[in-house]
């Protein structure tokens, strides 16, 4: 199974003010902590604030897909950054899942220009998910001036035939509050 993951906003990083989207690939049923997280992000290095803004808006950074353990992802987002997570498990056929995995293996070694407002994590995750329904280009449903992670979630959730189950994973801070 695969799931679309939405991480709530994080005010400690300007690029995360609007949240973040990623994909979880489940290796074992009902054991998400041993799953893999597919992330898309910009390689910013040690860019200063001016370079960060200019290159982020103008596509000066490269964006790459990475594969990490979901346990480490939860630790970073939920415990270190106090971000709530929503996990949207997708209902895919075996053929769709196989095509997604094949497509992911094709794009993992490559990079693309990263634009903070348009071709960002949310846009590229949606592009990656387009492979499960090649007759549909979900990126056409996005606003033209910006792409928010909530837009990707909205598009996937509105396609109810894709949504299998949704799980809310509150951050440590939310649990305390």
């Amino acid at each position: 199974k695969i799931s679309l993951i939405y991480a709530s906003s994080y005010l400690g990083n300007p690029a995360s003010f609007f949240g973040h989207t990623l994909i979880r690939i489940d290796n074992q049923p009902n054991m998400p902590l041993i799953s893999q997280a597919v992330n898309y992000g910009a390689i910013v290095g040690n860019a200063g604030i001016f370079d960060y803004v200019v290159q982020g808006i103008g596509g000066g950074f490269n964006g790459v897909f990475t594969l990490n353990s979901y346990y480490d992802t939860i630790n970073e987002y939920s415990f270190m950054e106090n971000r709530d997570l929503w996990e949207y498990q997708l209902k895919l056929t075996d053929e769709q899942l196989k095509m997604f995995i094949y497509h992911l293996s094709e794009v993992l070694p490559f990079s693309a220009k990263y634009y903070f407002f348009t071709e960002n994590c949310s846009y590229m995750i949606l592009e990656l998910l387009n492979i499960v329904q090649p007759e549909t280009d979900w990126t056409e449903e996005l606003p033209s001036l910006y792409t928010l992670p909530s837009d990707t979630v909205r598009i996937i959730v509105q396609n109810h035939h894709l949504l299998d189950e949704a799980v809310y994973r509150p951050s440590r801070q939310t649990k305390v509050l």
Side-chain angles (χ1 to χ4, degrees):
K1 298 259 182 193
I2 66 170
S3 298
L4 173 67
I5 310 298
Y6 171 77
S8 64
S9 64
Y10 174 57
L11 300 180
N13 180 348
S16 298
F17 280 171
F18 300 103
H20 183 65
T21 51
L22 59 137
I23 296 288
R24 183 185 76 213
I25 302 173
D26 295 334
N27 302 325
Q28 297 290 323
N30 303 317
M31 298 179 73
L33 294 180
I34 63 169
S35 299
Q36 295 293 309
V38 179
N39 235 320
Y40 184 79
I43 302 171
V44 297
N46 294 326
I49 189 68
F50 180 76
D51 284 339
Y52 186 81
V53 171
V54 171
Q55 290 185 51
I57 293 171
F61 295 121
N62 283 326
V64 294
F65 283 101
T66 56
L67 214 54
N68 300 308
S69 95
Y70 191 59
Y71 175 82
D72 290 338
T73 301
I74 290 173
N75 188 44
E76 177 184 348
Y77 290 138
S78 193
F79 297 120
M80 294 170 58
E81 297 177 357
N82 292 314
R83 298 167 81 170
D84 295 336
L85 300 174
W86 285 264
E87 304 169 346
Y88 299 94
Q89 190 174 78
L90 305 181
K91 230 186 318 188
L92 301 178
T93 66
D94 288 342
E95 186 63 29
Q96 288 172 318
L97 185 57
K98 188 185 327 179
M99 288 304 297
F100 178 84
I101 299 296
Y102 289 159
H103 185 53
L104 178 62
S105 68
E106 290 174 338
V107 300
L108 271 174
F110 297 103
S111 66
K113 295 289 182 190
Y114 192 101
Y115 296 89
F116 284 166
F117 294 118
T118 52
E119 294 179 22
N120 53 24
C121 67
S122 192
Y123 179 90
M124 294 305 280
I125 290 295
L126 203 52
E127 272 286 334
L128 193 60
L129 286 171
N130 272 337
I131 196 70
V132 301
Q133 287 187 335
E135 68 280 359
T136 306
D137 183 358
W138 290 319
T139 59
E140 291 178 353
E141 296 181 39
L142 294 167
S144 59
L145 296 177
Y146 58 87
T147 302
L148 299 175
S150 58
D151 292 328
T152 294
V153 172
R154 175 185 47 78
I155 290 167
I156 294 301
V157 169
Q158 284 177 347
N159 288 284
H160 297 287
H161 61 280
L162 278 181
L163 191 59
D164 194 15
E165 180 184 3
V167 175
Y168 172 60
R169 186 183 293 271
S171 69
R172 180 175 53 188
Q173 180 181 15
T174 299
K175 288 178 184 177
V176 169
L177 292 173

